[in-house]
Amino acid sequence: PPFDLYSVSEDRWVWRNFLTQPVGARLGAVLDRLVMRSVRERLPNAAAALRALDQPILPLQSTLQKSFPTSLQASAQALQDLQARLISPPAKVTPLPPTSEQPWQRCYQISTRGIVQALAVSGEGLLALGDSRGAIALHRLGDGSNLYTFKARRGLLPWGDGHRDQVSGLCFAPNNRHLYSTSYDGTSKKWDVKTCTLTRTQPRQGWVPADIILSPQRLVVAGEEGRISLWDSKTLKRKALLAQHQDRVSALGLTATGQRLASVSWDGTLRLWQLPDGQLLETMSVHSGKATALALHPAGLHAVTGDEDGAVKVWSLDASPNTETSAAETLYTSADAVTDLALSPDARLLAVGTEGNTLSLWDGATGRCVTRLEHGWGVVATAFSADGQYLISSSRDETVSVWTRP
């Protein structure tokens, strides 16, 4: 995996150790700048990398052929092939239209010590970030200042209230005082963000949780083996275990009333449930491959799903009892897997995050792309603030960006 190329113990990239052939000093320096932890010093994209090489691809290849042994020509060819792929998207990609209707700008960027896998925003402007180490950081949304960090636990060490593995889901309670988290360590936790204390840890369930969401009566935790657990939101006693999905449940969605739950799974289905009892209302086959992301309309009128092949589809759920309950429209097909989807509170904007470095925003009324926001690496998680004025996104380059409209 790409992240094996980083040594945590040495706090540096060790990609040179994995080369089958050495690279030249100039190319090596450019590659180093592409993966620097400092956002200010890092090259932002392929175009900047090519400028840093100070010559176009073909002359560079010619120079390498003349100046270095034949065995190094493969490196030049690989660089040329990479640039060709970056410039020319695959044929299946739906090109994004020009975006000048709704300009957004980055307010600030937070550098983190791990990849932020989950994020949540409270109604009082508190931003929670859960990372790949198991830590949960609380920031003030207005300026990004760090208020407190629940440190990750390591081994049998007595300190640290955080998780022992990456945080996979976060959600705030309606009272804005409590934060719920779930992790690959198999546990779910409840936090008091006013006193910055851990108030409860749910026992391991024997499977890895992937997402968490809260309704007025139920805390919903979903994950591996197609399982969804329903817990009483006050007593935190389990009320039901839903096991109809045939593979990992990757994302959850909830209507504004909290009475309708939606889930998507690697089995390619979207399922609709009635809360609080967990009655299965409908099963829809939405993707031929793994469904990886979900955004549910606050009134339950539509569901947006994304998959590992980059397809983003819109499903109509507002049908009469005597007609088809769903119809699909493909909004967009990306070159990269869809990692996350988020609807603005008024459902007018849809944010689409992918494993590529672009976060795109789509107008819900026209179906047009209105903004493209660039990241250093792939987009991991996205969320809108409660007032819809801020959009937050995390990236695999260990940064979190907060965007707003000017």
Side-chain angles (χ1 to χ4, degrees):
F3 296 99
D4 288 344
L5 305 182
Y6 181 79
S7 171
V8 176
S9 61
E10 300 179 31
D11 192 27
R12 66 183 183 90
W13 289 91
V14 291
W15 59 267
R16 284 181 174 82
N17 298 343
F18 295 86
L19 293 177
T20 58
Q21 300 288 345
V23 298
R26 176 181 295 177
L27 178 56
V30 170
L31 293 176
D32 281 335
R33 291 189 62 193
L34 283 169
V35 295
M36 293 190 73
R37 289 178 60 88
S38 171
V39 176
R40 292 182 178 179
E41 298 179 8
R42 184 188 311 147
L43 293 173
N45 49 44
L50 291 175
R51 288 194 296 270
L53 288 171
D54 200 29
Q55 53 188 333
I57 284 291
L58 289 177
L60 171 63
Q61 182 182 17
S62 176
T63 301
L64 286 172
Q65 289 174 340
K66 294 179 180 179
S67 305
F68 295 90
T70 305
S71 60
L72 296 186
Q73 295 177 14
S75 298
Q77 183 61 49
L79 184 60
Q80 182 179 4
D81 292 343
L82 174 61
Q83 175 65 4
R85 290 196 301 270
L86 291 172
I87 294 175
S88 303
K92 73 170 187 175
V93 179
T94 303
L96 295 179
T99 57
S100 59
E101 301 174 30
Q102 295 185 13
W104 287 63
Q105 63 184 17
R106 183 183 278 117
C107 297
Y108 58 85
Q109 193 171 64
I110 301 171
S111 294
T112 60
R113 294 188 61 189
I115 300 171
V116 171
Q117 304 283 355
L119 52 85
V121 189
S122 76
E124 295 181 350
L126 187 64
L127 173 62
L129 307 176
D131 67 32
S132 54
R133 302 172 301 135
I136 299 174
L138 303 178
H139 293 259
R140 185 178 289 109
L141 180 60
D143 58 15
S145 57
N146 178 246
L147 302 177
Y148 191 80
T149 298
F150 299 103
K151 295 182 179 180
R153 295 178 64 88
R154 285 292 176 264
L156 300 178
L157 297 177
W159 52 82
D161 290 330
H163 289 281
R164 296 181 184 273
D165 205 339
Q166 79 172 43
V167 178
S168 55
L170 290 171
C171 68
F172 277 99
N175 63 11
N176 294 310
R177 174 161 190 159
H178 294 114
L179 173 70
Y180 295 86
S181 64
T182 192
S183 166
Y184 279 12
D185 65 12
T187 66
S188 299
K189 294 178 181 286
K190 180 181 179 181
W191 314 85
D192 187 320
V193 298
K194 300 294 184 182
T195 61
C196 296
T197 56
L198 172 65
T199 63
R200 182 156 182 167
T201 298
Q202 294 293 95
R204 290 179 175 84
Q205 305 177 68
W207 45 275
V208 177
D211 201 4
I212 189 170
I213 202 166
L214 182 68
S215 78
Q217 299 183 58
R218 293 290 181 263
L219 178 68
V220 185
V221 180
E224 284 187 340
E225 301 181 12
R227 298 181 181 182
I228 301 175
S229 288
L230 304 182
W231 304 78
D232 186 286
S233 59
K234 294 182 179 179
T235 66
L236 293 183
K237 293 182 178 180
R238 193 164 76 176
K239 293 297 184 179
L241 177 63
L242 314 178
Q244 281 83 346
H245 279 295
Q246 303 303 304
D247 206 335
R248 174 190 175 96
V249 179
S250 49
L252 298 170
L254 197 66
T255 57
T257 62
Q259 297 180 349
R260 185 70 61 88
L261 172 72
S263 58
V264 292
S265 166
W266 285 4
D267 64 13
T269 65
L270 164 68
R271 296 178 190 261
L272 302 176
W273 316 81
Q274 186 70 36
L275 292 181
D277 59 356
Q279 177 187 358
L280 179 62
L281 301 176
E282 187 174 2
T283 299
M284 302 155 51
S285 180
V286 291
H287 295 279
S288 58
K290 296 177 180 178
T292 55
L294 168 69
L296 184 64
H297 189 280
L301 303 179
H302 305 280
V304 186
T305 61
D307 69 13
E308 62 179 348
D309 296 321
V312 179
K313 296 183 179 181
V314 181
W315 302 85
S316 174
L317 307 179
D318 185 29
S320 65
N322 298 322
T323 62
E324 284 290 327
T325 56
S326 61
E329 176 184 351
T330 299
L331 176 68
Y332 169 55
T333 302
S334 168
D336 305 285
V338 178
T339 54
D340 201 23
L341 298 169
L343 273 175
S344 61
D346 60 7
R348 294 183 178 181
L349 285 176
L350 171 71
V352 179
T354 71
E355 288 185 352
N357 68 335
T358 300
L359 174 66
S360 57
L361 271 69
W362 299 76
D363 187 291
T366 65
R368 289 181 55 84
C369 178
V370 295
T371 302
R372 284 172 287 175
L373 307 173
E374 300 296 327
H375 292 71
W377 286 2
V379 179
V380 179
T382 60
F384 283 93
S385 61
D387 59 7
Q389 295 303 306
Y390 294 94
L391 172 63
I392 304 94
S393 56
S394 66
S395 171
R396 290 194 177 277
D397 63 1
E398 298 186 354
T399 64
V400 174
S401 295
V402 177
W403 315 82
T404 189
R405 280 174 277 198

